[in-house]
Amino acid sequence: MPSDRPGPAVRLFTAVVPPPDRLDELEAAVRRLRELPGSDGLRWTGRDVRHCTLAFYGDVAEGLLPELTERCGRAARRSVPFRMAAGGGGHFGQGVLWAGVLAGPDDLAALRGLAERAGAAARGTGIAIEEHRRYTPHLTLARTRRGIAPDRLAGYAAELAGFAGTPWDVTEYALIRSHPPAGGADSWYETLATWRLGR
């Protein structure tokens, strides 16, 4: 099915969203980072938009949403609940600072499997998504602004080395729409659907 079906496009991704108390833990760690020198050189994400992306779909024609949601539901039924926590940190080049994911081998395999099935749901719908060599589960904390020192993100990531959040049971995942920023505000997210994992 072609992904250029007529109709307006919406920017979509699937994600695991931490519960509110786990977001509070992560926000406390971020507050400590924001006290470090030069933190104004980063554009920090808000507490309520932090998530662990499973698959980024990009701009999707609205006409594809019914089939995409059906396939995402099937992906959920073929997946199993797992346990994870936010912990540690890292960065992608000099662009993105993130908190990592802590999980045992079986839980990590379940998370990776869910990400693979979420990607397959898009491809089965006819949505071309970028292929990644290796899925790196993470929660984006900040993006760089112009003029940041080349080693700054590595320093922030090192500060997160001792951070380990409380684990939680992941029993669902969500399809989320990203709305573009307006009036100087950041992008904002709208949850379009959620699915429970397992049968």
Side-chain angles (χ1 to χ4, degrees):
M1 187 174 295
S3 60
D4 58 350
R5 183 181 292 177
V10 290
R11 178 153 289 202
L12 302 174
F13 61 92
T14 49
V16 169
V17 179
D21 56 345
R22 304 319 194 262
L23 288 172
D24 290 341
E25 291 180 346
L26 187 55
E27 178 63 15
V30 169
R31 280 198 298 268
R32 291 191 291 272
L33 294 179
R34 297 188 71 161
E35 293 172 358
L36 298 175
S39 64
D40 57 352
L42 295 171
R43 183 164 49 91
W44 298 89
T45 61
R47 170 198 175 280
D48 295 331
V49 300
R50 294 187 183 123
H51 59 272
C52 178
T53 300
L54 296 167
F56 179 71
Y57 299 154
D59 293 328
V60 176
E62 283 189 332
L64 295 177
L65 276 173
E67 182 178 354
L68 177 61
T69 54
E70 172 60 30
R71 289 180 179 273
C72 284
R74 274 186 251 159
R77 292 190 294 273
R78 294 171 181 162
S79 301
V80 296
F82 54 91
R83 196 164 174 79
M84 64 178 274
H91 61 99
F92 295 131
Q94 292 303 319
V96 176
L97 173 71
W98 46 262
V101 165
L102 304 177
D106 291 343
D107 293 308
L108 186 57
L111 170 58
R112 291 185 185 280
L114 178 58
E116 289 171 6
R117 284 184 282 276
R123 289 188 290 273
T125 307
I127 300 165
I129 63 173
E130 182 179 350
E131 295 282 355
H132 295 282
R133 292 183 180 178
R134 181 172 176 79
Y135 173 63
T136 304
H138 66 280
L139 298 93
T140 298
L141 302 180
R143 293 178 175 84
T144 55
R145 299 181 189 273
R146 292 182 179 177
I148 190 170
D151 60 348
R152 183 65 49 77
L153 285 188
Y156 283 120
E159 290 288 336
L160 288 167
F163 169 65
T166 305
W168 79 91
D169 294 320
V170 178
T171 60
E172 65 180 27
Y173 83 108
L175 176 67
I176 299 174
R177 177 179 179 180
S178 175
H179 291 268
D186 291 333
S187 300
W188 60 280
Y189 298 152
E190 175 188 7
T191 299
L192 301 183
T194 59
W195 300 274
R196 290 192 65 82
L197 304 181
R199 298 187 181 275

